Amino acid sequence: MANNGIGSSKQEISTVITQSNLECKNLYEYLKTLPQSVLERLYNHPAICLAVYRELPELARQYVIRILFVEQPVPQAVVASWGSQTFSKDHHYVTKVLTELNVWIEDSLPGGLIGWMLSPTFKRNLKIALLGGGKPWSMSSALEVDKNARDTNFLDSYSSERWECVLHYMVGSQQQEGISADAVRILLHAGLMKRDEEDGSPVITRQGFQFLLLDRHAQVWHFLLQYLDTVEQRGLDLVECLTFLFQLSFSTLGKDYSTEGMSPGLLVFLQHLREFGLVYQRKRKAGRFYPTRLALNITSSHNKNVPVLEEDSPKGYIVVETNYRVYAYTDSNLQVALIALFTELMYRFPNLVVGVITRDSIRQALRGGITADQIIGYLKQHAHQQMLMAEAKQPLPPTVVDQIKLWELERNRLTYHEGVLYSQFLSQADFNVLKEYAQSNGVLIWCNKEKRTLVIHKNAHDDVKKFWKKYSKGS
């Protein structure tokens, strides 16, 4: 094998970046990623303990309540006996949840038995949340009557306007004035948008389109989680910000709260929440703020207690015809901008937009990271009632669905890998030895027996090189 035959020529091939789906964490999935020291600091606040308890699985809540007033460890076998053996999997799951959240800890009993006992900090503050007591929140200080008081209609309008600024920016709408630089940084940090390779302008990603398909409550929660990932880089205290966010989630819509006693870092956090539409403050030095509907029960995955805004409720407004025409009965600029991501708009009327699905419009969406299934899913999710009433269970024309998928397949004909080319073997035996080694280790990408040529995964190049040196010395 000439030149030891190792990497006599190296073939650098561009790799297709596989984009993962949007990962939306609930409260448990987020908190379990935090260090125990951070959880211990968080559990010093009753509001957080109550929010964590509220989001626990039903069986876990039962366990917590049953041992809340017990002052000694409860044997693990006794806790397991509280449920039927039929639900043993559920028991093991909630045991794992409570342990990962540091809600309870293992403790020894006389005789060597191991029992469960609630974490002292969590136990003390959950009692305060359920029974009363403790220190009042600083932001609940009494305030004079606000001569510029805002009603719930104003707060709803304000929060929708601020939040839709973020969404308009994501879809590249012309109505994106007013978005803050912080919001743009978070969108890029979260992978919801990325810089275009050509001009550097932010463009929506596959995860970003999935984000737009979420309901308003889930969007805000995911966005805030991404913001919390960056608080320490901003010089803010994660525990302080989380505590304020939890307290805010238990606030009352339409009531004003005081900023007295807030640390400088918390005041900065409040301004960021103001930019995102979670709170309203007439001016920075007003000394008071109003939580909006976006902030209420934000940590709750159920969110049953907060009325849904009219614009957040899903309504069917899209009609798709077999000639690939799309009729959207809407006056929302945001919904129009969403449709424009994968259609070519033709006409715009006060309450109707007409577009057409073309190969170029779909390919443009695919280049931005949006998948065919996401486009089809969006059209199905917002299909007009008349389409849902059709005899067929499929609300979209099958020809349109199939064609969108075919246009996507056009881009997936080739799969690219980075590899190293091995050639110029001195004998067929040398070629066979290296081929079998690469095959057995699962690093062979391609081979040609007649030309004695192999392509090996780039990451395996060093291992194959070592193997060949040993083989050469032995032979």
Side-chain angles (χ1 to χ4, degrees), residues 223-249:
F223 186 85
L224 282 177
L225 287 188
Q226 302 306 315
Y227 173 87
L228 292 171
D229 280 344
T230 66
V231 292
E232 293 180 350
Q233 300 171 14
R234 302 167 189 267
L236 304 179
D237 184 6
L238 174 62
V239 173
E240 190 178 43
C241 293
L242 263 176
T243 302
F244 180 72
L245 202 57
F246 277 92
Q247 291 176 347
L248 205 60
S249 73

Side-chain angles (χ1 to χ4, degrees), residues 1-13 418-427 430-439 443-469 472:
M1 192 173 181
N3 299 324
N4 291 330
I6 302 299
S8 54
S9 70
K10 192 171 182 179
Q11 190 176 12
E12 297 289 346
I13 308 174
E418 277 190 290
V420 179
L421 179 67
Y422 292 75
S423 61
Q424 301 179 17
F425 288 89
L426 298 178
S427 69
D430 290 347
F431 170 81
N432 291 336
V433 167
L434 205 61
K435 175 193 168 187
E436 289 174 7
Y437 175 79
Q439 242 174 353
V443 297
L444 180 65
I445 296 177
W446 175 84
C447 70
N448 187 308
K449 187 177 179 181
E450 288 73 22
K451 295 184 179 180
R452 296 180 187 174
T453 306
L454 298 172
V455 178
I456 307 295
H457 278 286
K458 181 183 176 183
N459 296 335
H461 177 52
D462 291 337
D463 292 335
V464 175
K465 200 179 200 178
K466 290 176 185 177
F467 168 78
W468 180 253
K469 284 181 180 179
S472 300

Side-chain angles (χ1 to χ4, degrees), residues 17 35 39 61 68 83 91 114 161 167 207 210 240 243 271 288 323 369 378 407 416 441 448 457 474:
I17 299 174
L39 287 175
R61 294 201 300 271
L68 181 61
H91 168 74
I114 302 296
E161 179 186 341
L167 304 183
Q207 291 94 333
Q210 290 176 340
E240 190 178 43
T243 302
Q271 292 308 311
R288 69 180 78 219
N323 60 1
Y378 183 82
W407 282 330
Y416 298 92
N441 286 277
N448 187 308
H457 278 286

Side-chain angles (χ1 to χ4, degrees), residues 96-306:
K96 176 172 169 283
V97 170
L98 292 171
T99 304
E100 289 181 337
L101 292 180
N102 202 33
V103 170
W104 70 11
I105 53 178
E106 285 188 347
D107 203 352
S108 300
L109 286 149
L113 289 175
I114 302 296
W116 293 117
M117 190 171 187
L118 288 183
S119 166
T121 306
F122 183 87
K123 181 178 183 178
R124 180 177 64 256
N125 287 288
L126 182 60
K127 281 183 179 180
I128 292 173
L130 296 177
L131 305 177
K135 297 179 180 178
W137 297 346
S138 61
M139 67 182 196
S140 61
S141 304
L143 288 168
E144 297 179 359
V145 177
D146 187 5
K147 61 180 180 180
N148 298 305
R150 304 298 183 179
D151 59 12
T152 55
N153 289 333
F154 174 86
L155 295 175
D156 286 345
S157 174
Y158 171 80
S159 62
S160 293
E161 179 186 341
R162 295 304 309 154
W163 186 250
E164 286 194 2
C165 275
V166 177
L167 304 183
H168 277 294
Y169 184 81
M170 291 182 66
V171 297
S173 168
Q174 295 179 353
Q175 288 190 341
Q176 48 182 273
E177 296 85 1
I179 186 170
S180 67
D182 278 305
V184 175
R185 281 197 293 268
I186 293 167
L187 292 174
L188 293 170
H189 169 78
L192 303 178
M193 301 191 76
K194 64 181 180 181
R195 295 286 181 188
D196 188 80
E197 295 178 358
E198 296 179 0
D199 58 8
S201 60
V203 292
I204 192 170
T205 64
R206 174 182 177 181
Q207 291 94 333
F209 191 73
Q210 290 176 340
F211 176 82
L212 293 170
L213 298 183
L214 298 175
D215 62 72
R216 186 67 54 89
H217 173 262
Q219 284 178 347
V220 175
W221 172 243
H222 181 75
F223 186 85
L224 282 177
L225 287 188
Q226 302 306 315
Y227 173 87
L228 292 171
D229 280 344
T230 66
V231 292
E232 293 180 350
Q233 300 171 14
R234 302 167 189 267
L236 304 179
D237 184 6
L238 174 62
V239 173
E240 190 178 43
C241 293
L242 263 176
T243 302
F244 180 72
L245 202 57
F246 277 92
Q247 291 176 347
L248 205 60
S249 73
F250 288 104
S251 58
T252 303
L253 183 65
K255 184 181 184 311
D256 56 338
Y257 293 87
S258 172
T259 60
E260 184 182 351
M262 286 188 177
S263 67
L266 211 50
L267 290 173
V268 171
F269 182 55
L270 180 67
Q271 292 308 311
H272 290 164
L273 295 182
R274 178 189 180 192
E275 291 168 2
F276 307 149
L278 273 75
V279 298
Y280 168 76
Q281 197 176 24
R282 193 170 63 87
K283 55 184 180 180
R284 286 175 180 264
K285 297 182 179 180
R288 69 180 78 219
F289 65 90
Y290 292 82
T292 68
R293 202 180 300 270
L294 293 181
L296 301 188
N297 279 345
I298 194 172
T299 58
S300 172
S301 58
H302 309 293
N303 204 28
K304 295 175 182 175
N305 300 326
V306 181

Side-chain angles (χ1 to χ4, degrees), residues 350-368:
N351 64 341
L352 172 67
V353 175
V354 182
V356 61
I357 297 173
T358 66
R359 182 173 180 268
D360 289 339
S361 67
I362 295 297
R363 286 176 67 85
Q364 182 179 353
L366 296 172
R367 280 195 296 271

